[in-house]
Amino acid sequence: MSGLDKRVGSYAEALDGLQDGMTVLAGGFGLCGIPENLIAEIRRRGVRDLTVVSNNCGVDGFGLGVLLEDRQIRKMIASYVGENALFEQQLLSGELEVELTPQGTLAEKLRAGGAGIPAFFTATGYGTPVAEGKEAREINGRHYILEPAITGDFAIVKGWKADHFGNVVYRHTAQNFNPVVATAGRITVVEVEEIVEPGELDPTQIHTPGIYVDRLICGSFEKRIEKRTLRA
Amino acid sequence: MALTREQMAQRVARELQDGFYVNLGIGIPTLVANYVPEGMQVMLQSENGLLGMGAFPTEDEVDADMINAGKQTVTAIKGAAIFDSSQSFAMIRGGHVDLTVLGAFEVDVHGNIASWMIPGKLVKGMGGAMDLVAGADNIIVTMTHASKDGESKLLERCSLPLTGSGCIRKVLTDLAYLEIENNAFVLRERAPGVSVEEIVAKTAGKLIVPEHVPEMQF
């Protein structure tokens, strides 16, 4: 690493400093746009008692699901358990602490965290179990609850292309949570399919400006499809 | 006869209007896309970050980076827009989506909806459903009128943890189309060949039956 060149030489270097008990924010929706190699590196390092913030927790045997298998996650903040049997089982048994969070609230918590906003009011979740223990307020005749922002020790992000400065573009719906996650990490690590020379990306089309990115690495991706659905 | 899943989707599609932005949930709501009336333009929003969702792909078009909120492979129409999750939910929470269609386990006469967990048994998570019901004015819930054991899902008070409170005003079941007004269900239409008596018997919450309840036509 030198100056504004964010490239690092290895996945070990990309996650240097990750320790037990830290909070990791992860981009992706289902298995789409997940930082697969960074997740594999977390597994390899064997760090434990992690708090992981991600819309989903992968599937059994892939994505963040592998960290559940190794009991590396102490607490999960997510909106959807879905068809991940191990996630549901660890949740119901109480082995894993889970804070189920509405998807839009989760995205906004990350956005707020990255933008220096400590908390915000939202109508989402009012009158539901999500509101328990939270401040409620009536504003202009509607009920809202106060939701705190989220930041993390590490943010792990999957992009499509990036230049040396860490300007990132995402491909199709693999964008999802990645741009907001990228803003909310104390150390933001981005893995991409291709690193290009500065100037090759159109400045008007950048999704994540390089100021948010600390470390950048190029990887190869399996891109497993969760539900292959074809036109009849 | 109770409505088929396809007929339910067809009935919901009659609520579409030209120029609508619409979010369709997983299951029966997804099928509504097949019944957009000819000549009408609607734009489908998928909350993972896609406005202008198209048909499912052919084998050649399958792309792991192109999915819908149900995690199915999908295509984008010409003129679609793709964005991040906070932008997607700003559309939803800011009230910019014209119609939301989603499923549920239970609804009640107070407009409450429960759709995301059965304590001790099933935890799927709320996904985007809590944002959708809190952010939209125009919501249609699609569900079967009663469980397989004959237990009504249209209740005086939801028994399961809520997804949203006081936000539902329209419900389409396999037996009837109902609106929620003044803490009661109002029977607006019945499925072809389904009697008012059957609907009354299968509705646990307070039900108002107008003098004339037309049969749906297909």
Side-chain angles (χ1 to χ4, degrees), chain B residues 15-132:
Chain B
E15 302 297 315
L16 297 171
Q17 291 179 28
D18 199 20
F20 261 19
Y21 292 96
V22 181
N23 183 290
L24 301 175
I26 296 165
I28 292 166
T30 304
L31 301 175
V32 174
N34 299 334
Y35 298 101
V36 178
E38 206 145 320
M40 184 182 284
Q41 275 197 322
V42 301
M43 194 75 101
L44 300 178
Q45 203 258 16
S46 190
E47 66 266 25
N48 56 318
L50 170 61
L51 191 60
M53 181 168 61
F56 293 123
T58 62
E59 190 78 55
D60 292 344
E61 289 170 336
V62 168
D63 185 333
D65 291 335
M66 200 61 222
I67 65 166
N68 64 18
K71 304 182 183 90
Q72 297 168 304
T73 46
V74 77
T75 61
I77 65 164
K78 273 183 190 161
I82 292 174
F83 32 81
D84 71 62
S85 298
S86 72
Q87 176 76 273
S88 185
F89 280 92
M91 293 173 195
I92 291 165
R93 293 149 68 109
H96 303 278
V97 175
D98 298 299
L99 173 67
T100 289
V101 187
L102 79 172
F105 298 144
E106 297 173 346
V107 292
D108 71 26
V109 298
H110 308 286
N112 297 326
I113 173 172
S115 66
W116 65 283
M117 80 170 294
I118 301 171
K121 264 195 201 161
L122 172 111
V123 191
K124 289 293 173 205
M126 67 289 283
M130 284 192 182
D131 306 283
L132 283 159

Side-chain angles (χ1 to χ4, degrees), chain A residues 32 56 79-82 88 103-105 122 124 128 142 171-173 175-177 223 226-227 229-231, chain B residues 56-57 59 61-63 65 67 70-73 82 84-85 89 93 123-124 126-127 131 134 162-163:
Chain A
C32 183
N56 314 86
S79 86
Y80 197 68
V81 180
E88 187 167 5
Q103 198 173 129
T105 295
T122 178
T124 298
T128 78
R142 270 199 88 184
R171 189 170 174 276
H172 302 330
T173 60
Q175 183 173 164
N176 56 60
F177 276 84
K223 293 197 188 181
E226 206 165 335
K227 293 181 186 170
T229 310
L230 300 176
R231 200 175 303 169
Chain B
F56 293 123
E59 190 78 55
E61 289 170 336
V62 168
D63 185 333
D65 291 335
I67 65 166
K71 304 182 183 90
Q72 297 168 304
T73 46
I82 292 174
D84 71 62
S85 298
F89 280 92
R93 293 149 68 109
V123 191
K124 289 293 173 205
M126 67 289 283
D131 306 283
L162 296 185
T163 306

Side-chain angles (χ1 to χ4, degrees), chain B residues 13 35 51 53 55 60 88 94-95 104-106 111 114 117 152 161 173 179-180 182 195 201 203-204 207 211 217:
Chain B
Y35 298 101
L51 191 60
M53 181 168 61
D60 292 344
S88 185
F105 298 144
E106 297 173 346
M117 80 170 294
S152 179
T173 73
E179 290 178 347
I180 298 172
N182 303 321
S195 68
T203 306
L207 177 67
E211 207 166 312
Q217 305 290 321

Side-chain angles (χ1 to χ4, degrees), chain A residues 157-168:
Chain A
V157 170
K158 158 70 175 55
W160 179 27
K161 296 178 184 178
D163 65 21
H164 305 177
F165 294 127
N167 294 307
V168 185

